[in-house]
Every structure is written in structure tokens, then in C-alpha cells.
């Protein structure tokens, strides 16, 4: 009566893991409100309600669609991975999962699928606001390429969130992520266009991952600063690789140590 | 399922071989050997900090041994083949709170090739009434029962239960023992850790007592009880310590200030002998020794033997 691991359905495990990860997050106001509501409210306040002349170099409602979208996806990913993994690791739940026959990758795949879905929901809401209240008119292909660029941003920030989860404690992960994400979002021109920021910040921005990410999103609208996309992509790829390496070292370190 | 184990499959389902685990300067396990055979319920009994949880974590492949080896179903504990035959109830402080009880059970069941029907799991763990409740809304005892359900739901051949009844009331503890007993009758193997002698006695075929990361004693519950059960006798006496220690039935003796303290399997005989040899004896006190004290005496005598050897 020896059970064959093959006789369970891997597809079903991945699907259920993702389904319940999504439900789990959806029932967590501390995650849903900041990740879905904040970008939309900010966009309404600064992109739509605030009066601004249309004679400027670009339409602010269109511009902020890209940068608030990038800000939103970044938050969904950082907090979805960072706080989720840090908490479950700190409370011993990760230990249970590791002792169970769950394929280890299913855990991370479920979290990735969940932040992708949250990103899509948030971005759709933002696009809807932009097209209605913001009066943004773009060719269909441009909407799609902005959506695609924004969605790809889940990968580097999920990786960084994972690294933070393995190196910050369960109680400090939220604080650490806020301390990192808020100033770097500002310094990268996610809230106020980079052109309006002081020169020193413009220089620092070149070293901030959110800057390269928002420039790629703006590029989909033709509103970037004209730097070569390879620069942004290369920077984000290196950032992702470094984050994953740190997360991997942390994961291995857990095996020699106990928590909870 | 109803296996009458032949000689071939009497190989241990779980085994630690001279396993050592160090955390920095702390040695949690100092070279430990024990095995769980098919269909056997083994209790790892010991006080807090004895190394019970570390032993379980080694066998589950959650931590790596500093030396020695952990084997599960004759293979690497981290292999999928071993894990689908294993269910574990660990000391987890929190389970994700925004999932319902039945959702947790469904998800963990999906990891196994032949899970139990959900209804059966919920009934065994006493969760029928609260299947639709979020984990975060449960009481401590209910949470403990959910963790038990998650260990059971895959219908594993080997169950690991790490301090399963801590925080449960007497009634819940009995109900839990009944389910474990059923599993054992179905031929499942169980390794449980506990610091209650009563629990080990009620459930186990064999008890492995550990203290300070080492096996102190091993045997059937009856054998262990005979070694552990006893009384603590205190008195003021002029008799030399060596003489007191050599009295019949006395397992351990020591000076505690002006008083002599001894640990006796049969307190009546020891007291009788004491009074016979020292009529001046005073301040006599006899009381039951708890497990912690029994452990201390056993550990001390072990250490003494080692020093003597």
C-alpha cells in the first residue's frame, strides 16, 4: 500500500493553492485597502480633481495613469509577497507547509498569481477612472501596452518583497517596506512627475528601481524622458536577480534554524 | 491498510541515528538513536527543552542534523515519497486567519494522493460545527483541533504529533486520545511528543524518555512508570549519604542543606529502613514526585554512571 506521489494532481494543488491564497488576501482589509484603494484615490485627487492647465508639456491625467499604476503594482507586489511571507514564516506556518507534501514552488506560484490578479484589478480600476473622470483618450493598442508593462512590474518587486520577508522579522516587515517604498516612490517621480523634482533627486532617481519601472510605463505612452529602454530593463533585471539571490540565501538559512 | 507486517516491512518508518543538532553554542540533541516501527505508537517523553521538538523537526526534514542521520520511510525525510506518507501537527503559533476551517482542510488534503473524505476528517477532529468559521475567529482549543485535522487529512501512514494536547481541556484531550487509538488500530504509526506521563501511558506502545538531548530511558509504559514513579522522601538524619543511597528501593539521594532528600520507588520500605537505622530521624516528609523530578533523578544517575565509566 505504498502511495505514489504521482497519483495526486499537481495541477489541482497549484490551482487550489492560488485560489485560497487569493481568498486569504481578499479577506484581509490591511492588504486590500492600501493596495487597491490608495492608487485610485491618489489618482482621483492629483490626476483628476486638482486643477491643472492643459498647456503644459503633457496631460497630467494621462501621465499619472502610468506612474500611479506603477506605484500601485509595486505596492501590491511588495506587500503581497513581503508581508505575507514574513508573517507566515515568523508564525511557524511556513514550517508546517515545508513539512507537508506541498510542492515548495506551489506556495510561491500561488502568491505570484494572487498579486498578478490584484494588479489587474487595481489597473483596471485606474484605467476606468482615467477614461471616464480623467478624460484620457488613448488608442486601444496603447492601453494594452501600458497594461502589459505595468503587469510585468510585479516580478521585480515581488522578488524584492520576498528578500525583505526573509531578512526582516514578521513584525518589522511592514515598517521596513514602507520606509523603503514611500520615499523611493516619491524620488522616482511616481507621485509628482520627475521633471518637476529638484536636480539632486533626478540624479538619485537613476539608482531607484521604481524610477526605471515608471519610465518603462511612461514609455508605453510616449511620455518618458527618452532614455534607452535597455537601461531600464537591465537595471530591473539586475535588481530582480539580486533580490532573488538574497531571498534564496534567507530560505536556505531557515533550514538550519527554527522559528516559532 | 490492515497490514500484518512481514519481516521485510518491519523496517523503521522513522529513525534517528546518532543524530546531533547544535544551534550555535546550544546542543539540542547530543547524539540520539531511536526508531519508530510500522504500526507502533512511540511517545517521546521529556521536560521542556529536552530536545523533543528538534527530534521531530529532524525527522520531518525541517532542520539539518549537525551530525548523524534522520531517515523517514528508509529515505531522505525531504523527499516527496516520504512526505506524502506523513502528516504532522507542529507547534504553530498561527495559521492564516482569513481562511475557513474547511478551506484549510481542503487545501492540505489536495497535497495527498489518497486523502480522507472531508466529512471524516471534520468528525475525527470534532470540527463539524465550525467548518465555515474563519480560523482567526476560533478559540485556542478549536485551533488546536484544526491543526490535528490538517495532520490527519491525508490519511498518512505516519503521524507526527508535537505536543498535541497542550492547551486542551480534559474532555478534548480524551477525545483526541480516542482518535489516536483508532489510527493505531488501523496500523498507522505515530510519533508523539509530550511532557505528560499520563498521555504517553495512555497512547504509546513504547516510551522514549529524553532529557538534555539524550535518550535517558526506553521501554513500555509499564517499564517506564516503574522507573519513574516513586516518592520523594525528606528528613533530617545523621546517616551518611552513601548509606541512604544504598537502602533498598532508593534510586537517588542527596543533601539539601541540613536535610537529606531521596527518591524511592517504594517509599514505605525506605522510610522503614531509615527509621530502623536512625531512631533520631526527624522532619520526615513524604510526597509524590512529579515527572520533572523523576527526570532529574534519572538524568543524574545517568551522568553518575558516565562519570564512573
Amino acid at each position: 500500500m505504498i502511495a505514489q506521489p504521482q497519483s495526486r494532481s499537481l495541477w489541482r494543488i497549484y490551482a487550489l493553492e492560488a485560489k485560497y491564497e487569493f481568498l486569504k488576501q481578499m479577506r484581509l482589509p490591511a492588504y486590500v485597502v492600501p493596495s487597491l484603494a490608495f492608487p485610485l484615490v491618489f489618482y482621483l485627487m492629483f490626476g483628476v480633481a486638482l486643477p491643472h492647465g492643459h498647456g503644459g508639456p503633457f496631460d497630467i491625467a494621462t501621465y499619472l495613469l502610468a506612474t500611479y499604476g506603477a506605484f500601485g503594482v509595486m505596492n501590491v507586489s511588495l506587500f503581497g509577497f513581503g508581508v505575507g511571507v514574513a508573517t507566515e514564516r515568523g508564525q511557524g506556518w511556513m514550517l508546517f507547509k515545508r513539512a507537508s507534501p506541498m510542492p515548495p514552488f506551489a506556495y510561491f506560484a500561488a502568491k505570484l498569481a494572487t498579486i498578478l490578479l490584484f494588479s489587474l484589478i487595481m489597473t483596471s480600476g485606474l484605467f476606468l477612472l482615467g477614461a471616464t473622470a480623467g478624460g484620457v483618450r488613448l488608442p486601444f493598442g496603447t492601453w494594452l501596452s501600458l497594461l502589459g508593462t505595468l503587469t510585468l512590474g510585479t516580478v521585480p518587486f515581488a522578488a524584492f518583497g520576498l528578500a525583505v520577508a526573509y531578512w526582516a522579522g514578521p513584525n518589522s516587515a511592514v515598517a521596513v517596506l514602507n520606509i523603503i517604498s514611500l520615499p523611493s516612490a516619491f524620488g522616482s517621480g511616481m507621485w509628482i512627475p520627475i521633471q518637476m523634482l529638484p536636480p539632486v533627486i533626478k540624479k538619485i532617481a537613476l539608482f531607484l528601481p521604481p524610477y526605471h519601472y515608471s519610465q518603462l510605463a511612461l514609455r508605453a505612452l510616449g511620455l518618458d524622458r527618452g532614455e534607452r529602454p535597455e537601461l531600464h530593463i537591465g537595471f530591473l533585471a539586475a535588481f530582480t536577480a539580486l533580490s532573488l539571490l538574497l531571498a534564496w540565501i534567507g530560505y536556505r538559512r531557515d533550514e538550519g534554524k527554527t522559528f516559532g | 491498510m490492515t497490514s500484518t507486517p512481514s519481516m521485510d516491512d518491519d523496517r523503521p518508518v522513522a529513525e534517528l541515528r546518532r543524530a546531533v543538532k547544535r544551534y550555535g553554542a546550544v546542543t539540542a540533541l547530543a547524539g540520539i538513536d531511536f526508531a519508530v516501527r510500522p504500526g507502533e505508537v512511540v511517545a517521546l517523553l521529556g521536560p521542556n527543552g529536552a530536545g523533543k521538538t528538534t527530534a521531530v523537526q529532524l525527522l520531518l526534514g525541517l532542520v539539518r542534523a549537525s551530525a548523524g542521520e534522520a531517515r523517514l520511510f528508509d529515505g531522505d525525510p525531504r523527499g516527496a515519497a516520504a512526505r506524502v506518507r506523513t502528516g504532522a501537527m507542529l507547534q504553530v503559533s498561527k495559521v492564516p486567519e482569513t481562511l475557513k476551517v474547511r478551506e484549510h482542510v481542503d487545501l492540505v488534503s489536495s497535497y495527498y494522493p489518497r486523502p480522507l473524505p472531508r466529512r471524516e476528517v471534520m468528525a475525527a477532529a470534532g470540527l463539524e460545527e465550525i467548518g465555515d468559521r474563519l480560523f482567526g475567529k476560533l478559540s485556542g482549543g478549536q485551533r488546536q483541533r484544526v491543526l490535528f485535522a490538517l495532520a490527519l487529512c491525508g490519511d498518512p501512514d505516519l503521524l507526527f504529533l508535537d505536543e498535541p494536547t497542550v492547551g486542551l481541556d480534559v474532555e478534548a484531550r480524551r477525545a483526541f486520545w480516542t482518535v489516536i487509538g483508532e489510527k493505531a488500530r488501523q496500523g498507522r504509526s505515530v510519533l508523539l511528543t509530550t511532557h505528560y506521563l499520563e498521555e504517553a501511558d495512555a497512547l504509546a506502545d513504547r516510551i522514549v524518555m529524553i532529557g538534555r538531548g539524550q535518550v535517558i530511558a526506553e521501554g513500555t509504559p509499564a517499564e517506564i512508570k516503574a522507573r519513574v514513579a516513586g516518592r520523594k522522601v525528606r528528613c533530617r538524619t545523621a546517616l551518611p549519604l552513601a548509606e541512604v543511597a544504598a537502602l533498598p528501593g532508593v534510586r537517588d539521594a542527596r543533601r539539601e542543606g541540613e536535610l537529606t532528600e531521596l527518591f524511592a520507588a517504594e517509599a514505605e520500605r525506605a522510610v522503614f529502613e531509615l527509621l530502623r537505622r536512625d531512631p533520631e530521624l526527624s522532619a520526615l516528609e513524604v510526597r509524590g514526585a512529579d515527572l520533572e523530578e523523576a527526570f532529574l533523578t534519572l538524568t543524574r544517575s545517568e551522568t553518575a554512571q558516565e562519570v564512573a565509566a
Side-chain angles (χ1 to χ4, degrees):
Chain A
M1 204 60 229
I2 290 170
Q4 295 305 316
Q6 297 91 293
S7 67
R8 58 188 182 156
S9 155
L10 279 183
W11 183 88
R12 187 161 174 272
I13 296 177
Y14 275 82
L16 277 184
E17 195 74 43
K19 173 187 162 189
Y20 287 132
E21 176 66 26
F22 181 76
L23 274 179
K24 188 173 90 189
Q25 294 291 83
M26 202 62 203
R27 292 173 185 153
L28 208 60
Y31 180 66
V32 176
V33 174
S35 54
L36 294 188
F38 283 10
L40 301 188
V41 172
F42 281 0
Y43 181 75
L44 267 184
M45 278 164 28
F46 300 109
V48 178
L50 218 62
H52 32 68
H54 268 260
F58 42 73
D59 174 41
I60 199 84
T62 311
Y63 186 96
L64 291 183
L65 206 56
T67 60
Y68 279 132
F71 173 64
V73 171
M74 178 174 91
N75 272 352
V76 162
S77 314
L78 278 181
F79 287 86
F81 255 81
V83 180
V85 175
T87 311
E88 288 168 11
R89 179 176 154 264
Q91 294 170 338
W93 183 237
M94 191 79 118
L95 218 53
F96 172 84
K97 287 280 205 184
R98 275 174 47 208
S100 82
M102 174 191 73
F105 190 65
Y107 178 81
F108 300 105
K111 286 205 152 42
L112 190 62
T114 299
I115 60 168
L116 278 174
L117 203 53
F118 268 95
S119 295
L120 278 177
I121 296 170
M122 188 277 304
T123 318
S124 313
L126 202 60
F127 282 11
L128 205 67
L129 274 185
T132 54
V136 176
R137 296 285 170 269
L138 295 171
F140 184 68
T142 308
W143 285 112
L144 273 190
S145 88
L146 178 60
L147 179 70
T149 312
L150 286 176
T151 308
L152 281 177
T154 48
V155 176
F157 296 104
F160 184 70
L162 198 58
V164 171
Y166 275 103
W167 292 93
N171 300 317
S172 56
V174 175
V176 169
L177 285 170
N178 274 319
I179 286 170
I180 296 174
S181 77
L182 296 180
S184 62
F186 174 78
S188 301
M190 282 180 155
W191 297 344
I192 299 169
I194 188 89
Q195 289 85 342
M196 300 179 186
L197 294 174
V200 59
I201 294 187
K202 279 184 208 167
K203 284 200 186 105
I204 296 172
L206 288 172
F207 299 97
L208 299 175
Y211 168 76
H212 295 280
Y213 176 38
S214 11
Q215 285 301 307
L216 282 176
L218 286 167
R219 195 183 150 81
L221 305 176
L223 294 174
D224 62 322
R225 295 167 81 199
E227 285 150 341
R228 292 172 53 197
E230 293 86 352
L231 168 77
H232 305 309
I233 293 169
F235 188 94
L236 290 171
F239 172 66
T240 307
L242 186 67
S243 300
L244 286 178
L245 179 69
L246 281 174
W248 173 245
I249 295 170
Y251 180 81
R252 298 287 301 201
R253 192 182 60 149
D254 268 12
E255 291 191 339
K257 209 171 166 183
T258 8
F259 287 89
Chain B
M1 244 160 260
T2 47
S3 55
T4 32
S6 70
M7 287 309 280
D8 305 32
D9 36 52
D10 203 32
R11 277 176 307 187
V13 289
E15 191 178 13
L16 284 184
R17 294 179 189 162
R18 292 179 296 284
V20 176
K21 181 64 192 175
R22 282 182 286 266
Y23 293 106
V26 182
T27 301
L29 288 181
I32 202 169
D33 274 288
F34 75 84
V36 182
R37 300 199 171 273
E40 200 181 24
V41 179
V42 175
L44 279 185
L45 180 66
N48 290 327
K52 298 180 304 253
T53 295
T54 306
V56 167
Q57 292 188 340
L58 274 178
L59 283 171
L60 284 169
L62 292 173
V63 295
R64 246 185 268 271
S66 313
E69 200 185 2
R71 316 247 324 149
L72 201 55
F73 294 104
D74 232 3
D76 184 346
R78 291 182 300 160
R83 285 202 166 143
V84 292
R85 298 179 65 187
T86 305
M89 177 174 179
L90 303 177
Q91 297 183 58
V92 174
S93 58
K94 262 184 177 173
V95 169
E97 297 194 335
T98 49
L99 282 186
K100 294 172 183 173
V101 171
R102 64 173 166 77
E103 293 171 340
H104 274 301
V105 173
D106 277 353
L107 181 57
V108 176
S109 294
S110 78
Y111 302 157
Y112 291 88
R114 303 172 283 113
L116 290 175
R118 188 171 76 210
R119 219 159 28 85
E120 211 174 298
V121 180
M122 304 293 268
L127 299 173
E128 296 110 317
E129 314 269 292
I130 53 171
D132 276 321
R133 213 165 304 162
L134 293 181
F135 188 86
K137 307 264 183 218
L138 302 181
S139 72
Q142 290 171 329
R143 288 171 182 223
Q144 198 77 345
R145 273 158 32 207
V146 173
L147 289 172
F148 182 46
L150 297 184
L152 286 180
C153 67
D155 196 18
D157 296 324
L158 171 61
L159 269 173
F160 284 94
L161 306 168
D162 193 10
E163 304 274 356
T165 59
V166 163
L168 289 189
D169 57 36
V170 180
E171 197 186 334
R173 187 170 295 170
R174 300 271 167 198
F176 176 89
W177 289 357
T178 309
V179 178
I180 300 291
E182 275 166 28
K183 288 287 153 193
R185 271 192 299 283
Q186 290 165 11
R188 305 296 193 274
S189 317
V190 179
L191 178 67
L192 91 147
T193 72
T194 181
H195 52 254
Y196 302 119
L197 178 60
E198 191 201 0
E199 183 159 283
D201 183 31
L203 290 173
D205 302 313
R206 201 153 52 82
I207 296 176
V208 177
M209 280 178 65
I210 60 177
R212 298 204 215 131
Q214 283 176 316
V215 174
I216 295 174
E218 193 174 339
T220 63
E223 285 163 1
I224 294 294
K225 271 197 294 185
R227 286 193 69 178
V228 166
R231 299 283 172 82
K232 204 156 102 176
V233 179
R234 289 173 110 181
C235 59
R236 186 174 293 131
T237 175
L239 292 172
L241 192 61
E243 189 182 338
V244 174
L247 291 177
V250 172
R251 206 173 292 144
D252 188 33
R254 59 176 167 160
R255 292 274 187 222
E256 193 95 329
E258 296 195 327
L259 296 173
T260 300
E261 192 176 78
L262 56 95
F263 189 77
E266 287 173 82
E268 295 79 2
R269 272 187 72 193
V271 169
F272 177 78
E273 280 296 321
L274 280 170
L275 287 167
R276 201 174 61 85
R277 296 180 189 202
D278 178 12
E280 302 292 295
L281 182 143
S282 63
L284 179 69
E285 191 186 315
V286 180
R287 60 181 187 83
D290 57 25
L291 190 59
E292 208 79 21
E293 288 166 335
F295 264 102
L296 283 175
T297 61
L298 275 176
T299 325
R300 257 203 308 278
S301 51
E302 290 287 304
T303 328
Q305 277 164 23
E306 269 167 37
V307 172

